[in-house]
Amino acid sequence: MKHLLSTADLSRADAVHILDVAEEMAEVNQREVRKLPALRGKTVVNLFFEDSTRTRISFEAAAKRLSADVINFAAKGSSVSKGESLKDTVQTLGAMGIDGIVMRHGASGAPRVLADADWIDVPVVNAGDGTHEHPTQALLDAFTMRRRLHGTDSRGQGLDGVRVLIVGDVLHSRVARSNAWLLRTLGAHVTFVAPPTLLPAVDRPFGAAVHHDLDAALAEDPDVVMTLRIQQERMHDAFFPNEREYTRHFGLTASRAARLSERTLIMHPGPMNRGLEIAGVAADDPRSTVVEQVANGVSVRMAVLYLALTGNDTKPTGNDTKESVA
């Protein structure tokens, strides 16, 4: 694997392999010394043209735990704000001798443009592009589901037969698209629950089923309920009457959470709008995986960087799994 641009590019075998390598990385993250020498001597650039907290810090932690050097680039305050093009920015970084790029951009497709161009020949990992995709978020969500539903010794397994509801602002969510493709590849059944105004205008968006009644969908006893953030910063029209009306019909309220099975997982990619798409008691419920998702994100991103930057399609072994760097 050289680039990770879209979950649609991953076969079932590819996806399971990444999750299996992430299990190895999760074991490293439980050690007293959470460090591997796998990327020692390599430099990773976090090239972020959009604001981010969780994703950027998660990638930074992942790279450093693999012993890579990390450069954090933010568009604000850089030459980009003076009009410098993406091509010139990337060529400038390339001249400094970098080995991989983690890219977040407001334009859908920007990471693929970079990967396909001849400006620089290094692996590119998509950390979110516009309303298009967020593949590592989908991978960490799948990793979290697999661990919770099948246990930590679930290597080689997918998510066959798992029923997942993804609720909320599907139209503007890159997480929804990446999850729909990846979860279906792993064998899960995916259903979007949202008002028609927050869904793409097709019968089965990204291959998922569609439901407009959250209470009816919850009555079918799903294995996972994932609520999506209402992305008000991407909304330029009125997509629902008001926040109170949205919560009444599509929010995971305390009463709806109370009706869920004890084994149903409650997920959210973050950041959460508590009281809007998810109630505080639901977010803090023992069935909630919100904090686990953040922790698992480091393990998954370690796996992605390891596979992309080493060009090694096997699990880390030998010197790669030593507990500390000499």
Side-chain angles (χ1 to χ4, degrees):
M1 180 183 80
K2 180 173 183 181
H3 306 296
L4 178 62
L5 306 173
S6 167
T7 57
D9 297 336
L10 298 174
S11 67
R12 179 185 173 100
D14 292 334
V16 170
H17 182 57
I18 294 171
L19 299 184
D20 288 351
V21 174
E23 285 288 357
E24 304 291 332
M25 298 305 179
E27 292 179 1
V28 172
N29 287 328
Q30 296 301 313
R31 296 175 181 174
E32 184 177 351
V33 179
R34 292 172 288 180
K35 197 91 164 175
L36 294 179
L39 298 185
R40 184 166 50 189
K42 296 194 181 284
T43 301
V44 176
V45 174
N46 286 332
L47 186 61
F48 276 52
F49 292 85
E50 281 190 328
D51 294 338
S52 171
T53 300
R54 289 165 181 77
T55 302
R56 182 184 60 79
I57 293 175
S58 181
F59 268 111
E60 181 177 0
K64 287 181 175 179
R65 288 182 187 180
L66 291 168
S67 302
D69 297 315
V70 180
I71 299 173
N72 288 315
F73 174 98
K76 291 179 181 178
S78 74
S79 294
V80 172
S81 61
K82 303 175 184 177
E84 185 174 65
S85 68
L86 174 61
K87 177 180 180 179
D88 290 335
T89 298
V90 169
Q91 288 184 325
T92 298
L93 293 170
M96 299 177 187
I98 64 171
D99 300 287
I101 293 175
V102 177
M103 183 180 188
R104 170 166 285 195
H105 203 286
S108 298
R112 190 172 292 277
V113 169
L114 176 57
D116 291 343
D118 59 0
W119 308 332
I120 188 171
D121 185 23
V122 300
V124 177
V125 177
N126 181 1
D129 59 329
T131 58
H132 183 229
E133 278 221 59
H134 196 350
T136 58
Q137 179 68 47
L139 284 163
L140 75 87
D141 290 340
F143 181 80
T144 302
M145 291 180 205
R146 194 175 76 161
R147 277 197 141 199
R148 273 284 192 113
L149 297 171
H150 301 312
T152 56
D153 189 18
S154 54
R155 291 170 178 81
Q157 295 187 47
L159 292 169
D160 297 293
V162 175
R163 294 163 299 161
V164 182
L165 293 186
I166 299 179
V167 185
D169 185 6
V170 176
L171 184 65
H172 301 99
S173 176
R174 51 195 173 205
V175 173
R177 184 188 303 235
S178 289
N179 263 299
W181 281 331
L182 179 66
L183 296 175
R184 290 177 59 247
T185 295
L186 290 170
H189 301 295
V190 180
T191 301
F192 289 139
V193 185
T197 53
L198 289 178
L199 285 166
V202 295
D203 289 337
R204 290 182 63 88
F206 321 127
V210 170
H211 216 309
H212 299 303
D213 187 330
L214 178 56
D215 290 310
L218 293 177
E220 296 175 2
D221 193 24
D223 299 298
V224 180
V225 178
M226 180 185 298
T227 58
L228 301 172
R229 182 174 66 87
I230 296 297
Q231 301 197 29
Q232 295 170 331
E233 74 277 11
R234 301 186 192 276
M235 294 182 179
H236 306 294
D237 296 296
F239 289 87
F240 47 84
N242 54 59
E243 292 184 357
R244 180 181 297 177
E245 189 75 5
Y246 177 87
T247 301
R248 187 164 73 88
H249 289 286
F250 294 99
L252 186 59
T253 59
S255 61
R256 288 189 174 114
R259 296 199 300 269
L260 294 176
S261 165
E262 291 184 0
R263 58 173 180 74
T264 299
L265 306 185
I266 297 172
M267 304 186 74
H268 194 298
M272 295 182 287
N273 294 310
R274 288 176 180 250
L276 178 53
E277 68 258 4
I278 186 170
V281 293
D284 299 329
D285 189 280
R287 295 166 295 181
S288 171
T289 67
V290 173
V291 175
E292 286 173 54
Q293 287 169 263
V294 175
N296 290 338
V298 177
S299 301
V300 166
R301 287 165 178 139
M302 286 175 70
V304 168
L305 291 174
Y306 170 80
L307 292 169
L309 269 71
T310 65
N312 189 348
D313 286 332
T314 62
K315 295 177 185 177
T317 58
N319 289 335
D320 285 339
T321 55
K322 286 181 181 177
E323 295 217 2
S324 61
V325 180

